[in-house]
Amino acid sequence: MSDITKGAPGVPQAGTPASFALDFGKAWEYAPAPESPDHVKIAPKYELFIGGKWTAPQSKKYFDTVNPATEQKLAEVAEASAADVDAAVVAARTAFEKYWAKMPGKERAKYIFRIARAIQEKARELAIVETMDGGKPIKESRDFDIPTAAAHFFYHAGWADKLEYAFHGRKARPLGVAGQIIPWNFPFLMAAWKIAPALACGNTVVLKPAETTPLTALLLAQIIEECELPPGVVNIVTGAGATGAALVDHPGIDKIAFTGSTAVGKRIQRAVAGTKKRLTLELGGKAANIVFADAPIDQAIEGIVSGIFFNQGHVCCAGSRLLLEESVHDVVIRKLKDRMATMRLGDPLDKNTDIGAINSKAQLERIKELVASGELEGAERHSLACTIPEKGYWFPPTFFTNAGQAFRIAREEIFGPVLTIMTFRTPDEAIEKANNTMYGLSAGVWTDKGSKIFHMATQLKAGVVWGDTFNKFDPSSPFGGFKESGFGREGGRQGLGAYVEVE
Ligand code: NAI
Ligand code: MG
């Protein structure tokens, strides 16, 4: 039995029909180039950040956060009970009334700008901790997550004193206290994505990071403390689903912003129904990446690869379904295999790593279960034969051919490095297949013809449609879903609307 099958049932062995690897000799071997975590200080224990103070939880409970690449414990983190959440909401309300809502926009802007600068100064440390706590490759946390988070604070600092222009001369009032619940796939970026617009519009915040990745939100709390924001403007409460539910149910909350699974999103929607609380939900996706025969194929291969293997496929807008025009099916599969064979899976802190660790054991089990269902339903599986480290949670980059639209791998969010490939003959068939999903977060179109991109964009039921590119983000560009991918937009002028009452 080869290394890759160790402890990982369902992972094909090198040399079996389901696995592939190209023999490039030594051409693709790199020497290890790990980022050193030596200068990074992770405390053994973290308390809750409430009212500007680090506060022990009334629950007296703590939970461990581990490094999913090594299974080593990184720190103990406080578990906030309903009473702790209440203290955070009270602190946020006091800060709202006493300082933040009263403060002129140009003063709020200075604080938000200061946070952005501090993130840039600490970018290296933040990237390392993000990678250690969540398993994503350092080149992604370093080049994407942390700089994009800083960009969100810079962008929203710019809006804080210009809100009347955002809403065409109408007065925009803050809503009050925003309860924000974020997932584990982009922990720091999601915190920035949620906190920056809320603060720019004059709201105060209680944020709950995900239980497997709480550390960078706690480092953000330290940054907020160093930037001397008035106490209680931002509160960070750590914990799992029960802590999130306590935040959703708290009567002192004016707005809930949630990013995570569709199942929890639906539960939250039911919980806030009939209350004064405003709600935005950013949920799952099953994006179609559509490649026409006239597409620049080599560019498309890069888009396909980054669309599904970026962050191990832990991306709500991942291009998890690939729709190929029939005549280019074989050439795309061949080039995709060649490209995948150059990918490196392993130590997320290594600067050459393309595929890091799966975020948690539970997520790895979910991926394996869905992949097994794909095989059972009769799709053909192709997994890269690569060495899987002994410790940690890993899944090799994988794609399925001969999949039917009704297969679970074509319908359900796998949230792992697993691509489901199908074909089409006409643009109408591509549109029908792409829209044949309960989700509607994003889509991609690859073609030489601009007019075809525009036509497809008007027909695809997705919040974002990328043309000849994939997974590109900018703070000025609104992001959000159709159908069961949720509602509300984040980013851009539209994103501000979720945090104000316009008169
Ligand atoms: P989840 O939806 O349970 O977790 C997201 C956040 O919600 C976490 O902070 C969690 O503590 C919190 N939460 C959990 N239950 C809650 C409740 N009842 N009330 C309030 N907050 C609650 O997602 P999970 O279980 O980690 O992942 C399950 C699946 O969800 C994944 O396999 C993936 O398919 C999908 N997912 C989608 C995300 C997206 O960005 N669209 C992000 C994370 C997961
Ligand atoms: Mg962790």
Side-chain angles (χ1 to χ4, degrees):
M1 202 185 258
S2 71
D3 269 349
I4 59 162
T5 58
K6 258 184 210 158
V11 175
Q13 300 177 43
T16 64
S19 74
F20 67 93
L22 291 190
D23 183 15
F24 286 113
K26 300 266 178 213
W28 301 101
E29 274 180 26
Y30 280 31
E35 181 76 56
S36 166
D38 293 350
H39 69 294
V40 171
K41 289 186 270 336
I42 297 178
K45 193 175 184 180
Y46 287 90
E47 310 291 1
L48 307 167
F49 187 64
I50 297 176
K53 293 201 171 63
W54 293 95
T55 313
Q58 295 181 40
S59 70
K60 298 196 169 60
K61 285 192 201 149
Y62 293 81
F63 61 95
D64 293 346
T65 186
V66 301
N67 180 340
T70 61
E71 297 176 51
Q72 267 163 4
K73 171 176 165 181
L74 292 169
E76 268 172 34
V77 180
E79 183 183 321
S81 63
D84 297 307
V85 168
D86 179 56
V89 175
V90 168
R93 174 68 53 193
T94 307
F96 177 72
E97 285 166 5
K98 217 164 147 188
Y99 313 108
W100 203 245
K102 282 191 202 154
M103 193 183 280
K106 71 175 200 294
E107 297 304 317
R108 287 201 308 270
K110 289 180 194 167
Y111 283 107
I112 302 169
F113 189 77
R114 206 184 275 177
I115 297 171
R117 289 297 306 273
I119 291 171
Q120 288 187 319
E121 280 163 22
K122 292 177 196 281
R124 184 151 175 248
E125 178 182 358
L126 289 165
I128 291 172
V129 176
E130 195 73 321
T131 283
M132 291 174 75
D133 203 14
K136 68 174 64 194
I138 187 75
K139 69 176 173 192
E140 285 174 10
S141 44
R142 182 196 61 195
D143 297 346
F144 177 71
D145 295 62
I146 308 302
T148 314
H152 270 268
F153 280 102
F154 278 122
Y155 175 79
H156 286 96
W159 272 123
D161 62 346
K162 303 177 194 68
L163 292 175
E164 60 190 292
Y165 302 104
F167 301 103
H168 305 303
R170 293 163 71 196
K171 200 155 176 52
R173 293 190 190 285
L175 300 173
V177 178
Q180 306 182 319
I181 299 167
I182 57 170
W184 39 262
N185 52 346
F186 293 93
F188 192 75
L189 180 57
M190 284 302 113
W193 209 330
K194 296 262 183 296
I195 293 174
L199 296 188
C201 294
N203 304 277
T204 56
V205 165
V206 179
L207 175 110
K208 192 201 84 65
E211 53 273 34
T212 57
T213 54
L215 293 181
T216 49
L218 294 162
L219 296 189
L220 182 60
Q222 287 174 356
I223 287 173
I224 282 164
E225 197 179 16
E226 284 161 22
C227 291
E228 297 178 335
L229 264 76
V233 170
V234 175
N235 306 273
I236 310 278
V237 290
T238 40
T243 308
L247 190 55
V248 169
D249 291 339
H250 197 289
I253 292 282
D254 299 294
K255 187 223 155 67
I256 290 286
F258 172 77
T259 299
S261 64
T262 298
V264 172
K266 286 182 183 180
R267 202 176 309 158
I268 291 175
Q269 193 171 9
R270 279 196 290 274
V272 304
T275 72
K276 63 169 182 181
K277 291 168 199 166
R278 295 257 298 258
L279 177 65
T280 45
L281 296 175
E282 202 265 271
L283 310 173
K286 194 73 189 174
N289 216 347
I290 303 166
V291 181
F292 285 99
D294 63 359
I297 299 291
D298 290 321
Q299 254 169 273
I301 295 292
E302 288 309 305
I304 294 163
V305 164
S306 76
I308 187 63
F309 300 130
F310 176 47
N311 198 22
Q312 294 73 248
H314 296 336
V315 183
C316 46
C317 53
S320 53
R321 288 181 299 155
L322 176 61
L323 299 183
L324 297 175
E325 191 162 349
E326 237 174 50
S327 59
V328 287
H329 176 270
D330 292 354
V331 64
V332 170
I333 300 290
R334 179 170 55 77
K335 286 182 181 242
L336 182 61
K337 275 189 176 175
D338 286 356
R339 178 65 180 89
M340 283 168 69
T342 69
M343 298 183 86
R344 289 174 207 88
L345 177 147
D347 180 7
L349 280 174
D350 193 311
K351 292 163 201 148
N352 294 322
T353 291
D354 300 300
I355 308 277
I358 301 300
N359 184 269
S360 65
K361 192 161 191 248
Q363 187 58 30
L364 179 58
E365 295 307 325
R366 258 180 234 133
I367 295 169
K368 282 188 191 162
E369 196 265 322
L370 271 158
V371 166
S373 83
E375 289 183 299
L376 219 68
E377 289 188 289
E380 197 179 318
R381 173 182 170 173
H382 310 260
S383 284
L384 179 68
C386 49
T387 308
I388 302 283
E390 295 266 324
K391 283 261 179 199
Y393 315 124
W394 309 90
F395 200 85
T398 293
F399 67 89
F400 277 101
T401 51
N402 294 331
Q405 285 190 80
F407 291 8
R408 286 182 63 203
I409 51 167
R411 289 185 290 116
E412 296 181 30
E413 189 176 42
I414 303 176
F415 229 61
V418 182
L419 177 65
T420 303
I421 302 180
M422 291 171 287
T423 58
F424 68 90
R425 287 182 180 172
T426 63
D428 283 348
E429 191 188 345
I431 290 162
E432 199 187 306
K433 285 189 169 164
N435 287 339
N436 184 13
T437 166
M438 67 178 199
Y439 294 113
L441 196 53
S442 63
V445 181
W446 297 83
T447 164
D448 203 23
K449 302 237 172 358
S451 56
K452 219 191 252 171
I453 294 177
F454 283 120
H455 172 69
M456 296 295 288
T458 61
Q459 302 299 310
L460 291 167
K461 298 275 180 294
V464 181
V465 180
W466 285 290
D468 284 344
T469 189
F470 208 85
N471 270 352
K472 289 285 180 288
F473 297 90
D474 189 274
S476 64
S477 185
F479 182 87
F482 277 56
K483 299 193 277 187
E484 293 190 27
S485 289
F487 47 78
R489 293 292 177 265
E490 295 187 298
R493 205 168 55 78
Q494 292 85 343
L496 298 171
Y499 286 97
V500 291
E501 198 73 69
V502 181
E503 288 175 2

